[in-house]
């Protein structure tokens, strides 16, 4: 059983209209139908999802998995040729999940669910791939559903907290902090953000978490100011949160309630967020920038290759992704990329923050080339606010590993 989902099908609907999308679905159905044998079944479940049920004669001696792999390979080959829509070629691909039907009876619902699970594994691996269902996949899905349910209750049960990681300049002076979300589960202990953030982003939970982080970041800023630290507080804003219709109003309402200073808030956003529906993104950013909020491009250099947005948007800083810092200054390629980003930012009047700084060599290299701020384990690990205040009060400089 093969479960197919067309990759980036939404793009053709957005770019060419739903009539073109319908034409592509029809073309895909015709091509798949012509590919299969008479005894096979090809069906469209709905949307851009198709299912193929391929049977084998009893005298065939190839293994079930090998036979399924051959069928999946034929489907992938069928997508290598462009589809012609209104005389224009259109390239399309599909992510394919495969379930091998064993001798034991299997229910239709279970088979489709398992094939769907495998398809999402193929899509997560980079799209245009084939993934076979394994029992461990279903266990992983069930574990994620359980974690999602527990995460939904984590706010009310006060299991979430913000930790601060310092950003320092070349002299070792703290010039800012980033607030990072942490979850302490009553049974499992600390749950890695790498595990629960993707789960939240796939559901509406990211909206609740994002709003909570914004409120807590404003409260943290007030506490820092009270302790004499008038420094910017950076926080991550997810694409789903930013693209809410009333996002600007939400932010302004939180600022009003909390009494936080807008000019000491930095919203870290991704390049993908900036370029998604750019004509709506620009006025939204302009409205917040007019109130003093500043914007930072997180993980800069890992997303889109177009740099035209840098001069169109009210940006304050670029944040060099840790993947480029990791092998600097020993790797010539990463070193060249870091130097290019620093030079470009200097000409555009943008601040630069380097994340993932873990060695003296990295810090010295960045400082020598005018990097405005550095962040990473070389200086400090993320800490709860009270611990951060104690460490900062003990020393006016955090230059060097703690």
């Amino acid at each position: 059983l093969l479960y197919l989902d067309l990759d980036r099908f939404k793009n053709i609907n957005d770019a060419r209209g739903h009539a073109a999308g319908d034409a592509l679905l029809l073309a895909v159905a015709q091509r798949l139908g012509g590919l299969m044998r008479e005894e096979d079944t090809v069906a469209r479940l709905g949307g851009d999802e198709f299912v193929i049920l391929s049977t084998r004669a009893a005298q065939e001696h190839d293994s079930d998995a090998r036979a399924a792999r051959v069928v999946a390979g034929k489907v992938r080959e069928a997508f290598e040729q462009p589809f012609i829509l209104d005389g224009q070629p259109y390239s399309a691909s599909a992510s394919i999940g495969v379930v091998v039907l064993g001798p034991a009876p299997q229910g239709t619902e279970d088979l489709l669910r398992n094939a769907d699970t495998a398809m999402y594994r193929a899509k997560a691996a980079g799209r245009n791939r084939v993934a076979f269902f394994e029992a461990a996949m279903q266990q992983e899905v069930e574990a994620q559903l359980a974690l999602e349910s527990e995460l939904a209750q984590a706010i009310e049960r006060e299991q979430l907290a913000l930790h601060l990681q310092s950003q320092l300049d070349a002299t070792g002076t703290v010039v800012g902090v980033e607030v990072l979300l942490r979850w302490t589960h009553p049974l499992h202990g600390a749950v890695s953000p790498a595990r629960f953030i993707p789960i939240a982003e796939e559901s509406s939970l990211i909206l609740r978490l994002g709003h909570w982080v914004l409120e807590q970041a404003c409260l943290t800023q007030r506490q820092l100011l009270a302790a004499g630290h008038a420094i910017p507080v950076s926080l991550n804003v997810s694409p789903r949160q930013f693209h809410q219709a009333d996002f600007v109003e939400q932010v302004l309402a939180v600022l009003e309630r909390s009494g936080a200073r807008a000019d000491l808030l930095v919203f870290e956003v991704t390049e993908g967020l900036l370029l998604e529906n750019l004509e709506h993104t620009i006025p939204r950013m302009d409205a917040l920038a007019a109130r003093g909020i500043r914007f930072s491009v997180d993980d800069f250099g890992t997303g889109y290759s177009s740099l035209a947005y840098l001069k169109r948007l009210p940006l304050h800083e670029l944040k060099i992704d840790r993947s480029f810092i990791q092998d600097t200054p020993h790797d010539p390629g990463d070193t060249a990329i870091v130097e290019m980003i620093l030079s470009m930012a200097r000409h555009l009047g943008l601040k630069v923050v380097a994340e993932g700084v873990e060695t003296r060599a990295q810090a010295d290299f960045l400082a020598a080339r005018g990097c405005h701020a550095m962040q990473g384990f070389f200086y400090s690990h993320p800490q709860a606010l009270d611990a951060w205040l104690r460490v900062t009060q003990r020393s006016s400089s955090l230059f060097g590993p703690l």
Side-chain angles (χ1 to χ4, degrees):
L1 182 70
L2 282 70
Y3 197 117
L4 286 71
D5 182 90
L6 300 186
D7 297 326
R8 301 182 179 89
F9 178 72
K10 182 177 181 293
N11 289 358
I12 188 172
N13 279 331
D14 293 343
R16 299 190 181 181
H18 289 280
D22 291 344
L24 176 61
L25 292 175
L26 180 59
V28 169
Q30 291 172 338
R31 189 169 296 184
L32 291 177
L35 185 68
M36 296 294 107
R37 304 167 304 175
E38 184 176 347
E39 59 265 35
D40 296 331
T41 300
V42 180
R44 173 172 171 252
L45 286 183
D48 60 341
E49 297 176 328
F50 294 82
V51 166
I52 297 174
L53 178 63
S54 180
T55 60
R56 295 196 305 127
Q59 64 268 25
E60 295 181 7
H61 301 295
D62 287 346
S63 70
D64 291 333
R66 177 178 172 80
R69 192 174 292 110
V70 170
V71 176
K74 289 181 179 179
V75 173
R76 291 193 66 190
E77 289 177 8
F79 277 87
E80 291 178 359
Q81 298 298 320
F83 294 87
I84 307 301
L85 307 178
D86 294 330
Q88 298 294 321
Y90 182 83
S91 297
S93 64
S95 298
I96 306 173
V98 181
V99 169
V100 177
L101 282 66
Q106 296 172 277
T108 303
E109 185 176 339
D110 289 341
L111 285 171
L112 288 173
R113 183 192 66 223
N114 293 345
D116 184 45
T117 298
M119 181 274 294
Y120 274 105
R121 177 62 60 88
K123 196 171 285 288
R127 297 185 173 91
N128 191 26
R129 306 204 179 195
V130 178
F132 280 71
F133 176 78
E134 301 171 359
M137 290 183 183
Q138 185 60 31
Q139 295 171 2
E140 180 182 335
V141 170
E142 292 173 358
Q144 288 181 339
L145 286 174
L147 199 66
E148 180 180 333
S149 175
E150 294 168 340
L151 181 58
Q153 305 173 59
I155 296 177
E156 288 76 10
R157 296 178 177 179
E158 298 183 348
Q159 298 170 7
L160 300 178
L162 292 186
H163 283 197
L164 282 63
Q165 189 169 34
S166 299
Q167 298 172 345
L168 300 92
D169 65 13
T171 69
T173 302
V174 178
V175 293
V177 293
E178 180 183 0
V179 292
L180 301 167
L181 185 60
R182 295 293 182 262
W183 178 18
T184 303
H185 191 282
L187 296 179
H188 307 307
V191 182
S192 170
R195 186 180 177 198
F196 72 82
I197 291 297
I199 292 175
E201 288 179 338
E202 291 174 3
S203 68
S204 60
L205 281 178
I206 196 65
L207 301 179
R208 290 179 56 198
L209 288 181
H211 192 78
W212 184 86
V213 168
L214 175 60
E215 291 182 323
Q216 294 301 308
C218 288
L219 176 60
T220 297
Q221 185 208 92
R222 291 290 307 274
Q223 293 171 305
L224 289 172
L225 286 170
H229 301 286
I231 55 177
V233 175
S234 299
L235 63 147
N236 289 279
V237 175
S238 76
R240 290 189 64 178
Q241 183 184 7
F242 181 88
H243 288 300
Q244 283 186 287
D246 62 342
F247 177 67
V248 173
E249 289 74 17
Q250 287 185 38
V251 172
L252 297 181
V254 171
L255 287 172
E256 180 69 24
R257 288 196 305 270
S258 65
R261 285 175 51 179
D263 63 316
L264 291 180
L265 281 180
V266 178
F267 285 177
E268 294 190 8
V269 295
T270 63
E271 292 177 82
L273 179 153
L274 296 177
L275 293 178
E276 183 180 342
N277 201 351
L278 192 59
E279 299 310 315
H280 286 87
T281 298
I282 293 175
R284 192 164 294 184
M285 291 181 67
D286 284 340
L288 293 171
R291 297 298 294 267
I293 292 175
R294 291 176 282 183
F295 287 90
S296 173
V297 184
D298 196 17
D299 300 333
F300 184 76
T302 62
Y304 293 81
S305 58
S306 172
L307 301 177
Y309 70 90
L310 291 178
K311 64 181 182 180
R312 297 188 61 190
L313 298 170
L315 297 175
H316 170 67
E317 74 179 25
L318 306 178
K319 201 164 189 187
I320 304 177
D321 185 68
R322 67 179 64 247
S323 63
F324 300 124
I325 303 298
Q326 181 178 354
D327 295 323
T328 297
H330 307 295
D331 182 271
D334 286 342
T335 299
I337 290 173
V338 171
E339 289 178 329
M340 179 197 69
I341 294 174
L342 288 167
S343 176
M344 180 180 61
R346 183 166 56 252
H347 284 90
L348 292 173
L350 297 173
K351 178 183 174 183
V352 177
V353 177
E355 63 179 351
V357 179
E358 297 185 356
T359 68
R360 170 71 66 178
Q362 293 168 350
D364 290 345
F365 169 84
L366 291 163
R369 283 154 181 80
C371 187
H372 300 89
M374 292 161 279
Q375 174 182 347
F377 293 166
F378 177 68
Y379 300 104
S380 68
H381 286 69
Q383 301 169 301
L385 177 61
D386 55 351
W388 187 93
L389 288 172
R390 286 197 303 270
V391 170
T392 306
Q393 288 168 355
R394 283 202 306 266
S395 173
S396 60
S397 173
L398 293 181
F399 196 82
L402 296 178

